[in-house]
Amino acid sequence: MKKSNIKGIILGIVAFCIVAMSLFHIPFKRYSENFLEHKKGYTKIIKERSYLQDSLLNELGITLTIAQYKKAKKKYWKLSQNKLKTYTKRKKELIEEHSFRGRTSFRFWLFVFGLVIALLFFSCKSLYHDIVNGSTFKFQFISLTGIAVSFFWLIHLVFLTQQDFNKNSYIAILLIAGILSSCFTYFLVKNYTYKDDLILKQLSLIDRIKTVHYPRVALKALYSERNDKAMLSADSVKENTNAFDDDIVTTLKGV
């Protein structure tokens, strides 16, 4: 297998992984096993509280006076609230243990990260085609906006936590970083596109030499060699040579 084919396959796999990255979050769990097990305790606490309240209510007027009932109810309610506080505290700890970069889980972070990377990929691809096709700047500006937004969230996901986003200073910094990154990407893509354009122009010249200029001159030379006289045609060898020279000069000026 040729190196060019291997390179193409590798680039294809990389492009597929970039576009489909948001789907890679599926194997990861949204909640940890400890969290799901702990979550069952809430229903148990509520059921226990309801059972005790119903039991006290059934004993009211039989074994308990109103004063005793109120006292017992207050006691069990306080006990239930303490259990709920302990439950909530542990719940927050488990959520914190399973979180990633300030997000609820690595699953959620990877999902959002994949969407941002896909947006960045397609925005760069769009910008590349805009430059190649010679589109006006308003079309390129749309692509650049997509790149800036992508970098905004990419920087936020990688370097900042969810809590940091509430501060206006962070938003301003991220906007500036996104704009600078998009500008850098624009000149990078433009430079890459320029190199591709040079290669395409050179390949096009070689193709014209092979299919247009060379056959014209070769046909006249072959006819002259076999018949010992010049071939009668609308264009002369000199005209063909001049056309060939003009094509080369025009191509070189374009690069």
Side-chain angles (χ1 to χ4, degrees):
M1 186 178 291
K2 295 181 179 180
K3 289 184 178 181
S4 59
N5 294 335
I6 296 175
K7 183 180 178 180
I9 293 173
I10 294 174
L11 290 175
I13 294 174
V14 172
F16 172 79
C17 291
I18 289 174
V19 174
M21 186 175 291
S22 62
L23 300 178
F24 296 167
H25 78 287
I26 296 175
F28 298 95
K29 294 180 179 180
R30 183 177 180 182
Y31 302 107
S32 65
E33 294 294 336
N34 291 335
F35 176 84
L36 295 175
E37 186 64 30
H38 179 71
K39 190 177 179 181
K40 298 176 182 177
Y42 179 80
T43 304
K44 183 179 179 181
I45 295 172
I46 298 302
K47 284 184 176 180
E48 182 182 11
R49 184 177 66 184
S50 299
Y51 173 77
L52 291 174
Q53 288 179 341
D54 291 341
S55 298
L56 289 174
L57 191 60
N58 292 332
E59 294 296 323
L60 180 62
I62 301 175
T63 60
L64 295 175
T65 63
I66 294 178
Q68 290 174 331
Y69 167 78
K70 289 182 177 180
K71 184 177 180 180
K73 182 181 178 180
K74 184 177 180 181
K75 174 184 175 183
Y76 288 131
W77 180 266
K78 186 176 181 180
L79 180 63
S80 175
Q81 289 300 103
N82 289 335
K83 287 183 178 181
L84 284 175
K85 287 181 181 179
T86 303
Y87 166 85
T88 303
K89 182 180 178 181
R90 180 55 182 162
K91 179 182 177 181
K92 290 180 179 179
E93 291 175 353
L94 292 173
I95 290 175
E96 182 66 25
E97 290 175 4
H98 194 64
S99 65
F100 183 81
R101 299 299 303 159
R103 281 77 185 179
T104 54
S105 63
F106 178 72
R107 173 192 172 103
F108 176 76
W109 183 91
L110 184 60
F111 170 71
V112 179
F113 183 81
L115 292 180
V116 173
I117 288 294
L119 175 61
L120 178 62
F121 174 81
F122 284 113
S123 296
C124 291
K125 190 172 183 292
S126 175
L127 178 63
Y128 172 79
H129 288 294
D130 288 339
I131 296 174
V132 169
N133 297 328
S135 301
T136 57
F137 184 74
K138 63 181 180 180
F139 290 102
Q140 297 177 13
F141 179 76
I142 295 174
S143 301
L144 284 171
T145 302
I147 294 173
V149 172
S150 301
F151 274 113
F152 177 93
W153 288 112
L154 192 63
I155 295 170
H156 184 265
L157 283 168
V158 175
F159 298 103
L160 302 176
T161 64
Q162 192 67 30
Q163 290 74 21
D164 295 325
F165 189 67
N166 297 325
K167 299 179 181 180
N168 293 331
S169 57
Y170 285 110
I171 299 176
I173 292 172
L174 288 179
L175 282 173
I176 294 172
I179 293 172
L180 291 176
S181 299
S182 65
C183 291
F184 171 78
T185 305
Y186 172 76
F187 289 108
L188 182 66
V189 172
K190 191 172 183 180
N191 181 62
Y192 179 79
T193 305
Y194 176 71
K195 290 180 179 179
D196 277 0
D197 189 50
L198 289 181
I199 296 173
L200 289 174
K201 286 181 178 179
Q202 291 171 0
L203 290 175
S204 179
L205 175 62
I206 294 173
D207 182 65
R208 288 196 299 276
I209 292 173
K210 182 179 178 181
T211 60
V212 180
H213 300 299
Y214 176 75
R216 287 178 179 176
V217 177
L219 181 62
K220 289 180 174 61
L222 181 62
Y223 181 87
S224 177
E225 181 181 334
R226 289 183 176 182
N227 299 282
D228 198 24
K229 63 179 181 179
M231 179 181 178
L232 296 176
S233 61
D235 53 347
S236 63
V237 174
K238 185 177 181 180
E239 289 174 338
N240 291 149
T241 304
N242 290 337
F244 177 49
D245 290 337
D246 291 340
D247 195 0
I248 293 176
V249 171
T250 301
T251 302
L252 291 177
K253 285 182 178 179
V255 299

